[in-house]
Amino acid sequence: MDPEDYEYVAEEHDRLISAISKLDKTQHITEPTRNEPTNLNSEFNLIKPSKKLKLDNVLKVLEDNSHNVKISKKLKFSQNKSKVLPKPLEKPQAERIKRAAGYEETKKKIGRWDPVIARNRTVDFVSFPLKTRPVKKDTPTNIFLSKLKLKSPLELELEEVDPTPVVEPEVEEEELYPMSYEEMVEHRQHLAKFRAQQSYRAAKAKRQSKIKSKKYHRILKKEKLKQQLKEFEELQATNPEEALKKLEELEKARALERHTLRHKNTGKWAKNKLVRAKYDKEVRQQLAEQLSVSRGLTQKTQNIESSDDEPDESENICDIQISQDPMNPWMLKKSDKSNIDAEFNFGYKKYLKDKMYKRKEQSDSEEDEVDQNKDDDMSSLKTLTESLKKLNENESTAVIESKTQEDDTLMDSISEEKKSLTVQNKKNTQKEKSNNTRRKNKRKIVSTSEWVVEEINPKNATTEEELNSAFDDYEDKVALKVAKKLKGLKHELKNLETVSNKPNKKKNESSKEVDNLEYLKLKKQKQMPIIDEPLIESNKNVDEIPEPTKPLLETLKDTVPSTTENVNTDIDPNRFIEVKPKYLNTAVTNSENNYDDLDDEEQVVPKVDIEEVFEEDDVVTSFRQEKEDEINKNNPEELSLTLPGWGGWAGKGIKAPKRKKNRFITKKPPKTLRRDENKGDVIINESKNPKLAIHKVSDLPHPFNSVKEYEESIRTPLGNTFVPETAHRKLIKPNVITRSGTIIEPMDEEELLVPRNRNFNNKSVIKILGKQ
Amino acid sequence: MENQPSRNKTKRYFDTAPEKDEKTQNKNENVKVYTVKSTAKLLKIQKYKEQNLNRRKKAFINNNKIKKNFPNKAPIDPKKLELHSRGEGFTGQGVLHPLHLLKLKKREKKFKYAQEQAARADILLTEGQGYLEVDEDNRTTSINQKVIADNVDITAATKIFELNLDFGPYNAKYSRNGRHLLLGGKKGHLAAFDWVTKKLHFEINVMESIHDMSWLHVETMVAAAQKEWLYIYDNTGTEIHCVKKLDKILKMEFLPYHFLLATVNEYGFMSWLDISIGEIVGHYNNNMGRTSVMTQNPYNATVCLGNPKGVVSMWSPSSKKPLAKILCHKTPLTAVAVDNRGMYMATSGVDRSLKIWDIRNLDGPLQHYKLRSAPVHLEFSQKEMLAVALGNNVEVYSDCCITTTEKPYLRHRMAKEISNFKFCPFEDVLGIGTTGGFTSIIVPGSGEPNFDALESNPFQNKKQRKEAEVKALLEKIPAELITLNPFEVMEVDVPSMQDRMEARNSLLYLKPRNIDFTPKHKKKGKTNIARKKIIKDAARKKFINQSIEAKKILKQPEEDKNSKPKQSFGVLDRFVSKPKVKK
């Protein structure tokens, strides 16, 4: 091919390309190229060239030499493989990273020294220079020494008699690792899992125990019970003996539960009774009994005497209030009159009132009621509201009968009733009778239980209509109840009559009723003594325990002296520690040679002598007085800061209430035990010695947090007069020992390889030293 | 004769041969059979050697068969270890800092080591205590000084001697190492001598009455309480001081570790003279009246005074009130003695009784003895033997503190009245000052057989004495540290620390410190209080039972009465309350 041809082909080729490029409609802006160096840049050439170097362009330069092809291929390959380097970071960032990396590096480097440092800080002493040539210790000293000199004949002889025992080299047993590494890891994981589960369970249990919902607990209990029953059934099939045991257990649990009387009003029996109680009085009494029994069981024992903290109601009332000016409005008490009336309702007055009451009942004149003043109305209203409230409260029980009285004697009658009841209380023999009469009289009964069992006067029921319209809603209800009640009462009366006809049954009945009465009586009185008695740690025998049939008051009377007797049993222990004197058979002095013959066998019977006669007893008493004074001197007394009249009335005969007084009394500090507390005739001076206190440590030094530990750490003296010399030397050895005349060179990295340093692995110490 | 004939002793010149004993037997017909173990230390050593030889032989036989269990060091008896224990030890509960914890634990190991070493060093106390040994039907009291003198070696026999002196009732005191003796006659005779060699240091008459005298820290100085003032003499009898601040002294005691001379005078003034600096560190009136019954408690350096009201009071120079008071007798006290360890105190009163008290716990009486006459003087020996002076008799009781003794261990009768006596330290000797001079008798087993030469050395030479003096001065304990509990300095002042902590914790922005204030346990095991409680409980139970019984008895007649019909009131009988019918 000649060059022309060549040129031609090229031209052809160019044309072809331009033709093809013309096919493409998009306009291409050719990149400016510079052919020759100029200072001027055409403004049209200011297109930003892409900075990317196109390899193709570069390769264009290379012709298709075989050699070049190779290179181009290589280049292309590399172009495909390699990625473009990212832009280098900003300088501060880069430096920061550099620093961080450097820190890590140096930390690691320096961290290697931690165990070395930690060990050097914790060892008893460090001796410099650190590098010491290890002394060879293959031969024990005695053997080494024995080589140095000849043995004397005596030594040889001794050797013969007592040869030195050959010290057996201890065979160090290799520690056995029962588990391989994997096993160990597995074991640990297992343990960790177990622990975690345990903690979950504990947390769950804790959460569940905090649930207060009754419903939840009920369900839980039932579930448990079911589970147990299931188990029981299963057992029945497999192991009948075990099942029997299980059954017994179940029964026992149930019995215990029943016994506690927790279900006093929730059980089937109680519910049935509740339904019937509306109509049947006996049932009501049974329920009341049940309740009072449960109360008796659950009651906490209390002191009969009221504590100081309780506000004493009676103290608020002035003693001489009555004697003072009655017109003084301040001195008049707000207390309701009925209360006072009740207090003074006895004797002939009571009798009179009773009579009046009866007469009024008989003459049911409505005009009288209308004439009654407003006060009376109000009082009766009060009682009504109260009773209604009660009714509301005890709707479930629904036995309460509200009743109104037009007269203010209603309250009187109640209190009277109480009185009469207490009187009856004392009359043990005539209980039956009084019971009957009472019923006929149709009086109120105030029981100890919430259950108020009462009878009504049917005539009085009609008086309700006179009352406020606010209670109209209740009216019908009450009336209905009254009617029902009446029915019940009539029925009861009939019953009673039949009972009285049967004398043999009567006794049982009566006794039962007496018991009931016991519960029904004395509303506020707690039946302490009976329940309390077994708790009193009386050393007296059974005689002391009052019989349950005894009435309350008697038992109370009985128990009070018994407690005082218990107090008396505190005895003076000093009486018992006396050492009995031992009579010694001593020599006789010349001056009193009364016993000429010294018979050693005989115990000498002492003659009463003048010294013993004149033993001063007041020496003892005066010494004890001295001790008492000493004790009292250091005991601060209670300080009363009460100002009479501050926040209350003061004056002659007015006592400030106890609670108020107590508020202003600064309590003395609790009594500290003296050293000579129980030592008899010994006085120990407990005052602090200020001269000694100077010498004592009054602040714990740094690492200690407990006095005991500090005292333990200084318990051993260091001086050689107190501890053996070897121990003394050990104790006073300095921390740093330097050998004189040697150069102490800094540690080099070889120190890292010393086994004692490498083996030091007290992590906590290393950590704390690494922090600094 | 049971002189263990089976043993083949090497015969020494002082050994008592059986033949010789037979002779003595013939001599003293009233005393038939007795054996006296001489207290000579050599004899003991020999015995010890013999035993060791036997043991070695045995060991030799055994060696071939049984291999040794403990190739390195012999284990220590835990009981012995317990004896040297100073406390439970550091447990590391209260220290949070791990580095300090580690250091303290290492220190604790050293303490343990010290304790072990002390226990191991016990085998160096080779000397054993001597004693009198008699047949079953004989008593030790029947052995008198003559018999003892006949049976001991001649050096020991020289320890029995008597000095007849003319200047009234004599007081005697030994120096602390037991080598020197100081005699002071009421009529002014003052003499000091090395009583072993009988070499006289000086002998003077001060031409005044001498009430009491005492050695000071070394045997070159002597203090004497004369008619008016206190004088100090050196070992040649030259008066070197006249302390006019201390007048009309009745009694004095020297407290060696504090360098204090504690005195009490006629008017009840107590004073403590620091002889190292010549200052009085405590001076006040005790308001207990005139008393000449005084002793020191070597355990805590308090001074015990007995007074006419039967009260023993303990005093320290730093507080003007007694540290403790015990009512010991209902009658005036005649003598007080405290044993070396400060465990027991013996008191005697005019009521002829002798009581032993647990003075460390301030408790007691542990024992109560009644004697035939009131003791004039009491003294404890180093091995807790109690010597009692009864007129012209001395009785020594060997084991009277813990157990109730039946009879005396030794009895010595003299022709003269006893004024005072002292046991010689590190010797089995009791020196008695009497109206007519001084008598020295042997009481086998009374002295401590092992002495610590650094503490008090009976064979001290001049140089050693000087060195010991310097050391003692360096280790002088300040007078303020005299308290009932000598270890009180080691305790942390908890109340003041509590106050300080409270103040600190109330500050804002300051991390409060949690400190456990419970102090170190003082003692383990059953305390005296526990014992007392048991006794009390038992007594109470007994009393209650008795009262119940009594009540029962009382009740019966009452019931009888109830059943009887009482006085009749006729119609009004119905109002008489009827007894309850029990169902």
Side-chain angles (χ1 to χ4, degrees):
Chain A
M1 224 196 253
D2 51 347
E4 254 184 51
D5 257 8
Y6 201 83
E7 232 167 70
Y8 176 74
V9 172
E11 266 175 34
E12 283 286 285
H13 184 251
D14 279 348
R15 220 182 298 147
L16 178 69
I17 283 173
S18 64
I20 290 165
S21 62
K22 266 173 193 168
L23 286 175
D24 190 11
K25 291 280 166 52
T26 53
Q27 198 177 17
H28 286 277
I29 299 166
T30 51
E31 275 179 30
T33 50
R34 237 193 304 185
N35 298 328
E36 52 198 62
T38 51
N39 278 335
L40 294 168
N41 266 347
S42 159
E43 63 267 37
F44 302 111
N45 287 350
L46 280 176
I47 295 163
K48 199 181 173 188
S50 78
K51 274 178 181 171
K52 222 174 177 181
L53 178 71
K54 277 182 180 163
L55 207 65
D56 294 332
N57 297 342
V58 179
L59 287 180
K60 257 183 210 167
V61 180
L62 301 168
E63 292 306 312
D64 290 345
N65 274 344
S66 61
H67 176 67
N68 289 346
V69 165
K70 251 186 194 171
I71 291 169
S72 66
K73 263 185 185 172
K74 243 186 204 172
L75 266 170
K76 265 180 189 167
F77 181 72
S78 70
Q79 177 82 352
N80 289 340
K81 253 223 154 167
S82 65
K83 275 169 195 168
V84 184
L85 281 175
K87 195 171 104 182
L89 285 170
E90 298 287 317
K91 202 176 180 188
Q93 276 176 343
E95 295 228 307
R96 196 180 300 145
I97 286 165
K98 205 172 160 190
R99 281 201 305 270
Y103 170 73
E104 285 299 322
E105 194 71 5
T106 35
K107 194 184 165 190
K108 205 177 161 192
K109 215 173 181 182
I110 290 171
R112 291 182 303 167
W113 289 95
D114 279 351
V116 182
I117 304 294
R119 194 195 156 269
N120 279 354
R121 293 259 174 107
T122 51
V123 288
D124 290 337
F125 63 93
V126 190
S127 69
F128 291 107
L130 282 171
K131 259 188 214 168
T132 46
R133 201 168 291 155
V135 184
K136 265 197 174 181
K137 258 196 174 179
D138 355 35
T139 51
T141 36
N142 52 353
I143 294 167
F144 180 74
L145 285 175
S146 66
K147 282 174 190 164
L148 291 181
K149 63 179 175 187
L150 284 171
K151 276 176 183 168
S152 66
L154 180 68
E155 270 181 310
L156 284 171
E157 217 171 297
L158 265 174
E159 195 96 298
E160 227 168 73
V161 177
D162 185 16
T164 48
V166 183
V167 180
E168 288 174 24
E170 268 187 52
V171 183
E172 280 189 21
E173 283 182 34
E174 279 182 35
E175 278 192 26
L176 291 171
Y177 296 104
M179 281 186 282
S180 70
Y181 176 72
E182 283 81 15
E183 276 174 335
M184 217 142 75
V185 167
E186 201 182 339
H187 181 67
R188 276 179 66 180
Q189 277 172 346
H190 185 71
L191 274 180
K193 202 176 169 188
F194 177 70
R195 238 175 282 133
Q197 275 177 347
Q198 213 172 17
S199 75
Y200 296 151
R201 245 174 257 156
K204 196 181 173 188
K206 206 176 174 186
R207 185 162 41 78
Q208 279 181 346
S209 72
K210 271 185 184 170
I211 293 173
K212 279 178 186 163
S213 159
K214 269 187 182 174
K215 205 173 175 184
Y216 167 79
H217 280 291
R218 208 176 295 143
I219 290 163
L220 203 74
K221 215 185 219 171
K222 267 185 188 166
E223 256 173 33
K224 261 186 199 167
L225 204 73
K226 266 183 194 169
Q227 181 70 24
Q228 271 178 330
L229 277 174
K230 219 178 192 178
E231 275 174 23
F232 165 67
E233 271 165 19
E234 274 173 21
L235 271 177
Q236 228 174 3
T238 54
N239 193 355
E241 270 183 33
E242 281 287 303
L244 211 68
K245 267 183 199 171
K246 189 103 189 170
L247 185 71
E248 257 172 37
E249 249 171 48
L250 279 170
E251 283 292 303
K252 201 181 170 188
R254 192 184 164 276
L256 274 173
E257 175 112 12
R258 304 308 301 180
H259 186 67
T260 54
L261 284 180
R262 275 180 66 189
H263 311 284
K264 54 185 180 281
N265 49 7
T266 51
K268 202 175 180 185
W269 176 83
K271 274 177 184 164
N272 275 341
K273 292 273 156 164
L274 275 178
V275 174
R276 284 178 60 204
K278 282 178 192 171
Y279 317 105
D280 197 345
K281 193 192 171 245
E282 264 182 43
V283 170
R284 247 174 289 150
Q285 279 178 346
Q286 275 172 4
L287 275 173
E289 196 180 327
Q290 166 89 349
L291 281 182
S292 56
V293 165
S294 88
R295 188 162 316 114
L297 283 173
T298 52
Q299 203 170 36
K300 273 183 187 172
T301 55
Q302 270 178 359
N303 261 342
I304 299 164
E305 291 164 24
S306 62
S307 59
D308 282 358
D309 292 357
E310 281 177 51
D312 209 338
E313 291 297 327
S314 59
E315 287 231 6
N316 279 326
I317 305 161
C318 294
D319 291 346
I320 48 157
Q321 176 208 358
I322 297 147
S323 66
Q324 275 185 339
D325 182 18
M327 297 314 287
N328 189 348
W330 299 105
M331 299 314 271
L332 266 180
K333 238 195 66 193
K334 302 162 276 172
S335 66
D336 45 349
K337 210 185 164 193
S338 60
N339 204 3
I340 296 166
D341 269 359
E343 273 181 38
F344 293 98
N345 202 358
F346 56 85
Y348 84 99
K349 198 179 176 187
K350 178 184 157 196
Y351 175 69
L352 220 127
K353 269 190 179 164
D354 270 10
K355 278 234 161 157
M356 293 276 283
Y357 178 52
K358 263 182 190 170
R359 208 185 57 199
K360 261 176 194 166
E361 275 179 349
Q362 279 153 11
S363 64
D364 47 340
S365 57
E366 288 182 3
E367 294 88 13
D368 282 4
E369 287 158 21
V370 178
D371 288 348
Q372 231 116 50
N373 53 24
K374 256 199 170 166
D375 278 18
D376 288 355
D377 252 347
M378 286 305 287
S379 71
S380 59
L381 227 165
K382 246 187 212 167
T383 53
L384 184 76
T385 47
E386 272 171 17
S387 56
L388 282 174
K389 243 186 226 165
K390 260 188 184 172
L391 191 77
N392 273 342
E393 281 167 5
N394 301 336
E395 256 183 335
S396 62
T397 56
V399 195
I400 290 150
E401 185 52 293
S402 71
K403 198 174 83 175
T404 55
Q405 274 286 358
E406 58 285 313
D407 218 291
D408 64 337
T409 49
L410 173 113
M411 295 307 283
D412 294 8
S413 70
I414 295 166
S415 57
E416 217 179 274
E417 195 51 57
K418 278 185 194 165
K419 278 271 156 63
S420 66
L421 277 178
T422 49
V423 170
Q424 278 164 13
N425 212 355
K426 280 159 195 168
K427 294 175 192 165
N428 281 334
T429 50
Q430 297 180 337
K431 262 175 194 168
E432 236 287 292
K433 207 181 167 187
S434 64
N435 211 3
N436 278 341
T437 54
R438 204 174 44 112
R439 220 162 261 153
K440 270 162 197 166
N441 287 342
K442 292 172 183 174
R443 296 272 171 82
K444 272 198 169 182
I445 300 162
V446 184
S447 72
T448 49
S449 65
E450 287 174 293
W451 299 74
V452 181
V453 184
E454 48 190 36
E455 282 104 322
I456 51 146
N457 193 343
K459 285 166 193 170
N460 290 337
T462 53
T463 56
E464 281 172 17
E465 290 156 13
E466 301 292 323
L467 288 164
N468 223 326
S469 59
F471 304 105
D472 279 349
D473 310 328
Y474 292 101
E475 222 175 47
D476 291 345
K477 233 189 223 174
V478 170
L480 204 82
K481 270 174 195 167
V482 167
K484 274 178 187 172
K485 188 141 204 179
L486 262 174
K487 238 187 200 172
L489 271 174
K490 272 174 192 169
H491 181 72
E492 216 169 9
L493 269 172
K494 250 183 206 171
N495 271 354
L496 264 173
E497 276 167 15
T498 54
V499 165
S500 61
N501 289 338
K502 294 167 188 170
N504 54 341
K505 269 190 182 177
K506 189 180 169 185
K507 208 182 178 183
N508 283 338
E509 279 272 337
S510 69
S511 67
K512 201 179 179 184
E513 270 174 14
V514 165
D515 279 356
N516 285 344
L517 274 174
E518 285 269 315
Y519 297 123
L520 298 174
K521 270 181 284 173
L522 298 167
K523 187 164 189 176
K524 280 189 177 170
Q525 205 160 19
K526 285 180 176 165
Q527 296 167 332
M528 282 270 308
I530 295 168
I531 297 143
D532 197 23
E533 192 51 38
L535 292 175
I536 293 175
E537 289 181 63
S538 72
N539 301 301
K540 287 101 218 164
N541 287 343
V542 196
D543 331 7
E544 281 290 321
I545 299 163
E547 271 138 43
T549 46
K550 266 188 184 174
L552 277 177
L553 279 172
E554 260 83 347
T555 52
L556 263 174
K557 271 178 199 165
D558 276 1
T559 49
V560 169
S562 77
T563 50
T564 54
E565 274 161 16
N566 277 341
V567 170
N568 286 341
T569 54
D570 276 335
I571 44 168
D572 183 16
N574 286 341
R575 270 185 283 168
F576 297 96
I577 316 173
E578 274 299 311
V579 181
K580 269 191 184 171
K582 161 90 183 157
Y583 288 93
L584 279 179
N585 206 347
T586 59
V588 181
T589 52
N590 281 341
S591 54
E592 35 176 330
N593 230 341
N594 303 330
Y595 316 87
D596 258 333
D597 293 322
L598 264 176
D599 196 356
D600 281 356
E601 295 306 317
E602 256 178 67
Q603 274 269 316
V604 186
V605 180
K607 274 163 100 190
V608 174
D609 49 356
I610 266 173
E611 289 93 341
E612 275 173 27
V613 170
F614 282 100
E615 267 184 2
E616 289 176 79
D617 264 336
D618 64 320
V619 165
V620 181
T621 52
S622 70
F623 190 85
R624 286 190 179 153
Q625 185 59 44
E626 208 182 324
K627 184 172 178 179
E628 191 79 5
D629 292 344
E630 185 77 16
I631 290 167
N632 289 337
K633 205 172 72 185
N634 292 337
N635 275 357
E637 301 229 326
E638 277 185 353
L639 195 66
S640 178
L641 298 170
T642 39
L643 291 170
W646 186 270
W649 290 102
K652 194 185 167 190
I654 294 173
K655 269 190 206 163
K658 217 176 202 174
R659 204 167 68 174
K660 212 172 244 177
K661 261 195 250 168
N662 284 345
R663 270 179 61 196
F664 291 105
I665 289 174
T666 50
K667 286 264 167 64
K668 58 181 174 187
K671 206 178 160 190
T672 48
L673 217 63
R674 281 176 65 90
R675 273 188 68 199
D676 52 12
E677 193 76 29
N678 295 316
K679 294 218 162 162
D681 293 331
V682 175
I683 303 172
I684 299 171
N685 189 0
E686 295 214 311
S687 57
K688 209 173 151 191
N689 187 355
K691 281 179 186 168
L692 178 67
I694 297 165
H695 295 276
K696 282 170 87 174
V697 176
S698 65
D699 200 3
L700 285 184
H702 162 55
F704 292 101
N705 261 339
S706 132
V707 171
K708 190 200 160 207
E709 293 289 37
Y710 176 62
E711 284 179 356
E712 290 287 1
S713 77
I714 57 165
R715 73 183 194 280
T716 305
L718 308 182
N720 61 353
T721 48
F722 300 96
V723 292
E725 188 67 29
T726 45
H728 165 69
R729 292 249 176 86
K730 233 181 181 184
L731 282 166
I732 60 160
K733 197 162 193 173
N735 288 336
V736 176
I737 299 167
T738 50
R739 206 179 298 148
S740 57
T742 50
I743 300 164
I744 300 170
E745 280 177 355
M747 279 192 283
D748 54 5
E749 295 206 328
E750 270 177 41
E751 200 67 23
L752 294 173
L753 301 173
V754 178
R756 59 166 189 239
N757 287 335
R758 277 164 61 190
N759 293 337
F760 185 85
N761 53 359
N762 194 330
K763 286 278 151 40
S764 50
V765 175
I766 292 172
K767 199 180 161 193
I768 213 153
L769 286 173
K771 258 186 204 169
Q772 288 167 352
Chain B
M1 271 355 326
E2 53 275 318
N3 217 345
Q4 285 98 7
S6 59
R7 286 185 200 162
N8 43 352
K9 277 186 199 171
T10 47
K11 211 172 160 192
R12 300 288 179 103
Y13 67 94
F14 57 80
D15 264 4
T16 51
E19 305 90 58
K20 216 176 181 182
D21 271 337
E22 268 165 28
K23 271 182 204 165
T24 52
Q25 202 179 356
N26 297 335
K27 259 189 230 167
N28 314 312
E29 274 159 26
N30 52 343
V31 184
K32 271 200 166 176
V33 182
Y34 57 85
T35 314
V36 179
K37 289 271 151 82
S38 75
T39 55
K41 281 148 199 169
L42 283 171
L43 205 132
K44 287 283 152 198
I45 291 165
Q46 213 215 340
K47 202 171 154 189
Y48 189 74
K49 272 182 190 166
E50 243 174 41
Q51 281 173 354
N52 265 5
L53 208 79
N54 284 340
R55 214 178 293 148
R56 256 187 218 163
K57 271 180 188 167
K58 271 183 194 169
F60 172 64
I61 294 158
N62 290 340
N63 249 347
N64 299 337
K65 293 164 192 169
I66 307 156
K67 76 166 189 181
K68 275 198 172 179
N69 282 330
F70 309 105
N72 295 325
K73 268 188 177 175
I76 312 163
D77 183 17
K79 270 183 195 167
K80 257 188 185 173
L81 208 61
E82 186 58 40
L83 272 181
H84 292 274
S85 160
R86 288 172 199 271
E88 276 175 66
F90 174 78
T91 53
Q93 296 293 326
V95 179
L96 296 177
H97 198 288
L99 180 62
H100 289 285
L101 183 67
L102 199 67
K103 278 184 174 176
L104 284 166
K105 273 184 178 166
K106 284 201 167 163
R107 206 178 154 75
E108 181 61 28
K109 266 186 200 162
K110 283 181 197 168
F111 290 166
K112 287 266 159 65
Y113 174 76
Q115 185 188 345
E116 263 176 38
Q117 283 298 107
R120 277 186 201 289
D122 272 356
I123 58 159
L124 299 175
L125 308 174
T126 51
E127 303 292 332
Q129 198 180 343
Y131 50 91
L132 285 175
E133 200 177 81
V134 287
D135 269 355
E136 276 167 21
D137 32 324
N138 275 296
R139 294 168 187 287
T140 46
T141 43
S142 59
I143 296 169
N144 57 27
Q145 289 299 313
K146 198 175 172 247
V147 179
I148 292 172
D150 284 343
N151 285 284
V152 294
D153 58 310
I154 50 169
T155 44
T158 56
K159 288 168 187 170
I160 301 174
F161 64 93
E162 197 167 344
L163 303 173
N164 289 320
L165 306 163
D166 302 330
F167 295 94
Y170 274 88
N171 271 352
K173 271 183 185 174
Y174 289 99
S175 64
R176 214 158 71 84
N177 59 13
R179 191 64 192 257
H180 306 275
L181 180 67
L182 181 65
L183 288 178
K186 187 87 180 167
K187 291 168 191 160
H189 182 198
L190 188 67
F193 63 105
D194 182 340
W195 70 272
V196 180
T197 57
K198 314 286 189 300
K199 187 193 157 219
L200 189 69
H201 297 318
F202 72 92
E203 186 176 24
I204 51 169
N205 198 318
V206 297
M207 306 306 282
E208 260 183 343
S209 61
I210 290 179
H211 296 274
D212 201 5
M213 73 288 143
S214 171
W215 290 105
L216 297 188
H217 61 288
V218 282
E219 63 263 20
T220 54
M221 272 159 119
V222 161
Q226 295 176 20
K227 187 188 163 202
E228 280 297 326
W229 298 301
L230 180 88
Y231 289 83
I232 291 172
Y233 300 95
D234 72 353
N235 61 342
T236 57
T238 318
E239 178 189 320
I240 48 177
H241 287 296
C242 169
V243 186
K244 290 198 176 178
K245 279 179 186 170
L246 305 176
D247 62 330
K248 307 240 177 192
I249 303 289
L250 281 181
K251 278 275 169 190
M252 57 185 180
E253 284 286 337
F254 182 67
L255 312 174
Y257 297 103
H258 303 75
F259 285 83
L260 291 178
L261 189 68
T263 58
V264 62
N265 80 353
E266 264 193 2
Y267 314 110
F269 269 95
M270 321 242 345
S271 28
W272 281 262
L273 174 71
D274 189 331
I275 59 144
S276 65
I277 51 173
E279 259 177 28
I280 287 176
V281 291
H283 181 73
Y284 50 83
N285 198 334
N286 59 22
N287 296 321
M288 304 284 269
R290 185 195 143 106
T291 179
S292 60
V293 181
M294 178 185 180
T295 189
Q296 64 163 305
N297 183 349
Y299 171 65
N300 53 17
T302 54
V303 169
C304 300
L305 275 186
N307 84 341
K309 280 185 176 176
V311 177
V312 171
S313 46
M314 286 158 217
W315 301 85
S316 82
S318 52
S319 85
K320 296 197 174 177
K321 287 177 104 196
L323 301 175
K325 279 198 245 180
I326 312 174
L327 180 65
C328 295
H329 295 264
K330 291 174 183 175
T331 52
L333 286 174
T334 54
V336 178
V338 180
D339 86 312
N340 238 23
R341 292 186 295 158
M343 291 277 266
Y344 306 111
M345 176 173 75
T347 60
S348 66
V350 182
D351 56 350
R352 298 174 182 177
S353 66
L354 167 69
K355 288 181 184 176
I356 311 286
W357 303 81
D358 178 0
I359 201 180
R360 197 173 287 192
N361 293 324
L362 294 166
D363 213 349
L366 301 175
Q367 306 293 343
H368 184 185
Y369 300 109
K370 283 277 187 183
L371 311 174
R372 272 178 174 160
S373 57
V376 184
H377 196 78
L378 296 171
E379 187 73 30
F380 272 107
S381 83
Q382 280 177 321
K383 282 290 177 188
E384 268 158 35
M385 285 188 183
L386 180 67
V388 183
L390 301 159
N392 56 347
N393 286 299
V394 186
E395 292 195 338
V396 181
Y397 293 89
S398 66
D399 194 17
C400 63
C401 296
I402 307 159
T403 54
T404 310
T405 187
E406 295 289 330
K407 49 201 167 218
Y409 171 66
L410 206 78
R411 185 179 280 156
H412 183 68
R413 173 172 278 202
M414 286 175 299
K416 302 151 219 162
E417 288 285 313
I418 295 162
S419 66
N420 96 325
F421 48 62
K422 289 278 174 205
F423 278 103
C424 181
F426 310 110
E427 292 279 0
D428 293 345
V429 166
L430 178 70
I432 308 162
T434 58
T435 47
F438 175 79
T439 313
S440 172
I441 61 168
I442 287 184
V443 182
S446 67
E448 171 68 50
N450 298 295
F451 62 84
D452 181 356
L454 291 173
E455 177 74 14
S456 52
N457 185 0
F459 307 108
Q460 205 172 38
N461 58 27
K462 201 173 174 183
K463 206 175 174 187
Q464 281 170 336
R465 188 187 72 210
K466 283 178 176 169
E467 199 160 309
E469 191 179 0
V470 172
K471 271 198 172 158
L473 276 168
L474 287 174
E475 285 175 355
K476 187 181 120 180
I477 306 171
E480 301 94 76
L481 301 190
I482 300 178
T483 47
L484 279 183
N485 176 15
F487 300 106
E488 208 177 317
V489 220
M490 286 166 63
E491 288 164 12
V492 175
D493 192 358
V494 171
S496 71
M497 188 172 75
Q498 264 168 339
D499 291 345
R500 207 184 275 194
M501 277 298 123
E502 250 168 51
R504 201 192 111 104
N505 289 350
S506 65
L507 289 178
L508 280 176
Y509 312 119
L510 208 62
K511 195 181 169 192
R513 272 177 82 180
N514 279 333
I515 285 175
D516 181 12
F517 288 108
T518 46
K520 183 179 154 186
H521 274 304
K522 259 147 218 159
K523 230 173 196 180
K524 286 187 280 182
K526 234 170 218 179
T527 54
N528 212 10
I529 294 164
R531 183 180 62 81
K532 246 184 191 175
K533 210 173 182 183
I534 291 164
I535 295 170
K536 247 189 234 175
D537 283 348
R540 188 169 287 157
K541 230 175 219 175
K542 205 176 159 192
F543 181 81
I544 287 164
N545 282 336
Q546 276 176 355
S547 67
I548 289 167
E549 297 260 310
K551 221 161 261 174
K552 266 184 195 167
I553 294 163
L554 277 173
K555 218 165 203 178
Q556 277 168 356
E558 260 182 30
E559 281 167 7
D560 292 345
K561 269 180 213 164
N562 281 342
S563 58
K564 282 175 200 165
K566 280 178 187 173
Q567 197 183 351
S568 172
F569 295 99
V571 188
L572 298 172
D573 263 350
R574 70 188 67 177
F575 295 111
V576 175
S577 61
K578 283 167 195 166
K580 290 272 129 43
V581 183
K582 282 171 187 172
K583 284 173 190 174

